[in-house]
Each structure stands twice: as structure tokens, then as C-alpha cells.
Amino acid sequence: MRVLVTGHTGFKGAWLVSWLLEEGAEVSGLALAPEHGQPSLFEDLGLVDRMTSRIADVRDAGSVLAAVSAFRPQIVFHLAAQALVRRSYAEPLETFATNVMGTANVLEAARRTESVRAVVCVTSDKCYENREWAWGYRESDPLGGKDPYSASKAAAEIIAACYRDGLPGLSHLRVATARGGNVIGGGDWSEDRLIPDLIRAIRAGTPLVLRNPAAVRPWQHVLDLLHGYLRLGERLLAADDGAVGAWNFGPARSNEVTVGHLIARALAAWGGAPIPVHVEPSTLREAGILKLDTAKAEAGLGWRPVLGFDRTLRLTMDWYREYCDRSASARALVEAQINDYRQAASAAAAEEAVS
């Protein structure tokens, strides 16, 4: 299988490429270069030597079309994005250009390339019009966004629906969108994200600063989410029209906890002397409660989260500890966790089939 991944130099993209390579896929990627001077999971995994890596910007329609038409993939996983909420306030135009027009550029390139049979566009749980509900958002709930990031992801959903349902010349192509929760896992070094901020604070011996410890988020391990992407892509490639559309991939209810609870448990899992935690409330608008309803994916795709909260956190913190202690390489850690997850997912599926 020939697979193109946009955003392959990012955290989720590097994990996805690693999993695809484990499955024997031939993988190409299109993304910005890793940020200079910062840790990079893509570089730590040595992926540049194991795939076709093209450094380009999804805002450049010509570069996107050239990459897709040259590689002629059968499926595209579109992960490239400006993915940080707070950065979107500082750089709204970049956020809209990347997340909205970048998505349109990828879909247009897929439309013009006959080899492409499926596109999975990754958006976000923040694409929903947030009403601070205590229950999970469903795929039929209204889209919206009061911050640039959320608005851009809602707009990306609308663009994907337009390409899916409204444009001619798409008989060869099936399009779906994937809305994931707050992803954690080893190898994320992004700015302004909770676990990376915690690891940096631990390593530097500085206080951790939280904006809203009472905020509730659907925390999920990166492998649970990628499992959803791959299951969705598999069904699209099988020409299953029922897989076309929007899909939530969220964690088990046990993973829907506050920021403060997650940090307390993460510090306990890390061990050693505790670090100070300071609260500095932000003046920027951010959702207080965010949850996803995954009933559609469970019924329609046979997908369900495998990892509960304790295991999600343990896998994440164990990865960072072993990486920071240099007791294992990033590649060894990633490949071991992928293989363990695949076994756990197979066992869970077999157990459910029996029951």
C-alpha cells in the first residue's frame, strides 16, 4: 500500500508513519521541517531514511499537487496543521491559511490524482460549537469555534464535506474526517502542551504553570487515536460508503478528567521529588468541558478505545522516563509500544467477539 501522510514530521505524524512502516506500507510525507533547535520525534526515529520525506508547506497548492501526483498514493492521511490553540490567537491568519486552505489544497490534489482512493482528514474535538455540556459531542452536533484554532477546524470540516458531497470528479475518491480528543504519548515536544510542559519543568527543575486546572478534557493515548485513523482508512479503501463522513475517536469515560488530576497522577507516575505547580489563569477563551461521544465509531467501524486512563498515563510517562534516562532509543520505545498495542487491540477484539 502506498500511503501519503501530511504532517509526518509532527508528533502524531511520526507515530503514524512508524505504525504504517511496521505494517509494510510504502510511505511518503509532506510537511514543514522540524523546528530547529527543538527535540524532534521524527528525527529521533530516523524516519528520513525510511520513507520519502518532502519538506513543503500545505499552504502552497502547487507543492501539494506535485507531492501527491509524483508519489501516486492510494490513501492520504492529512494531519498537517497549526495545532496550538494559544498560538492561533497570536497568529490567526497563519492558522486559517494552514488549517483551512491547507486542507482544501490536499483535497484538491487528491481529486486530481486518480490513484488516490481515500482521504482521512484529521480535524479536532474542538470543531464543535462548545456549549460546556457535561456529555459528549456527537458527529451530528453543530460545528463552531470561538477561537481561531477551533474555528479553523470547523471550517476544515465544512470544506471536507464539500469535497465529499458537492464537487464533481470524485467518483474515485472517498473522504472522511476524524475528530480526536486531547492526545498524549511519548515524543511530543510541542510548546504549550500539558505533558511536554511537565517534562520540561521536571528536567529543568522549574515550576509547572497551569492555566485552568479545573478544565476537563478527553485524554487519549496517541495509539488509540491512530488505531481509529487506520481502521477508518481501511474501510474507505474497501470502498465502504458507510465509512464516508465524520467520525469521533475519543477515550473511555475514565479518561475524561481535569487538567489538575492528570498532572497529579503524572507526577506520581514519574516519581522523585515533586515540582511546584503554579496557576496563572489565562485571559484567552478556552473550553471548560470537552467530551466526545464515540458510539458511531464503535457501531459503524468496530473501533473502541483500548487504553484506560491508568495505562494511557503509564505508557506516556514510561516513554519519557526511559527516553530521558537514555535507557532506550526513541525508535525502540515507539516500536515496542506499537507492537504491544496491536496485541492488546487484537485481544480486546477477540474478547468482544466471544462475549
Side-chain angles (χ1 to χ4, degrees), residues 59 82 84-98 148-149 191:
R59 293 175 293 182
Q82 194 299 96
L84 301 173
V85 174
R86 281 164 61 86
R87 182 185 290 182
S88 77
Y89 278 105
E91 300 173 352
L93 293 182
E94 177 192 354
T95 300
F96 291 130
T98 301
Y149 172 77
E191 64 173 307

Side-chain angles (χ1 to χ4, degrees), residues 226-240:
L226 297 184
H227 185 209
Y229 295 172
L230 292 170
R231 179 66 62 87
L232 179 57
E234 182 180 46
R235 294 286 289 273
L236 291 171
L237 285 169
D240 181 354

Side-chain angles (χ1 to χ4, degrees), residues 69-353:
S69 60
F71 186 65
R72 300 189 60 78
Q74 292 151 291
I75 184 169
V76 175
F77 289 93
H78 175 44
L79 279 67
Q82 194 299 96
L84 301 173
V85 174
R86 281 164 61 86
R87 182 185 290 182
S88 77
Y89 278 105
E91 300 173 352
L93 293 182
E94 177 192 354
T95 300
F96 291 130
T98 301
N99 296 353
V100 181
M101 286 308 301
T103 297
N105 290 338
V106 170
L107 287 166
E108 182 63 15
R111 183 168 79 114
R112 295 189 183 189
T113 306
E114 290 188 2
S115 66
V116 182
R117 293 155 46 197
V119 179
V120 176
C121 284
V122 173
T123 62
S124 171
D125 56 354
K126 297 174 182 64
C127 69
Y128 292 105
E129 179 183 332
N130 189 279
R131 300 180 180 180
E132 300 295 344
W133 283 337
W135 53 87
Y137 291 95
R138 298 168 297 179
E139 290 85 348
S140 57
D141 286 326
L143 301 172
K146 295 182 175 65
D147 61 84
Y149 172 77
S150 301
S152 73
K153 288 299 186 177
E157 285 280 348
I158 294 170
I159 287 171
C162 175
Y163 270 85
R164 183 179 69 231
D165 303 325
L167 286 179
L170 286 169
S171 59
H172 68 292
L173 187 64
R174 286 172 173 79
V175 177
T177 58
R179 306 166 179 177
N182 282 55
V183 182
I184 61 176
D188 186 3
W189 300 106
S190 300
E191 64 173 307
D192 211 23
R193 282 191 185 155
L194 198 58
I195 295 297
D197 283 349
L198 173 63
I199 299 301
R200 282 188 284 267
I202 290 172
R203 298 178 76 182
T206 57
L208 173 67
V209 178
L210 302 180
R211 299 190 302 275
N212 185 2
V216 175
R217 295 289 184 268
W219 309 102
Q220 65 186 143
H221 194 273
V222 62
L223 289 173
D224 256 343
L225 181 56
L226 297 184
H227 185 209
Y229 295 172
L230 292 170
R231 179 66 62 87
L232 179 57
E234 182 180 46
R235 294 286 289 273
L236 291 171
L237 285 169
D240 181 354
D241 288 333
V244 170
W247 299 88
N248 286 341
F249 296 105
R253 282 296 182 89
S254 64
N255 293 41
E256 296 171 348
V257 302
T258 66
V259 168
H261 182 76
L262 176 75
I263 288 300
R265 295 289 297 275
L267 284 169
W270 183 269
I275 64 169
V277 177
H278 296 167
V279 178
E280 296 180 5
S282 172
T283 59
L284 302 176
R285 183 192 295 269
E286 294 186 73
I289 300 175
L290 196 53
K291 300 180 181 181
L292 288 175
D293 185 317
T294 60
K296 180 184 175 184
E298 293 175 16
L301 299 176
W303 173 91
R304 64 183 61 249
V306 173
L307 305 174
F309 180 73
D310 289 341
R311 195 168 179 190
T312 293
L313 198 56
R314 185 172 67 252
L315 284 173
T316 301
M317 300 308 289
D318 284 352
W319 195 102
Y320 281 108
R321 184 188 301 104
E322 293 184 45
Y323 177 85
C324 293
D325 291 346
R326 298 185 179 181
S327 55
S329 69
R331 180 172 176 177
L333 291 168
V334 164
E335 291 179 352
Q337 290 195 358
I338 288 172
N339 289 326
D340 288 348
Y341 180 88
R342 289 159 66 185
Q343 293 177 18
S346 296
E351 182 177 342
E352 184 175 344

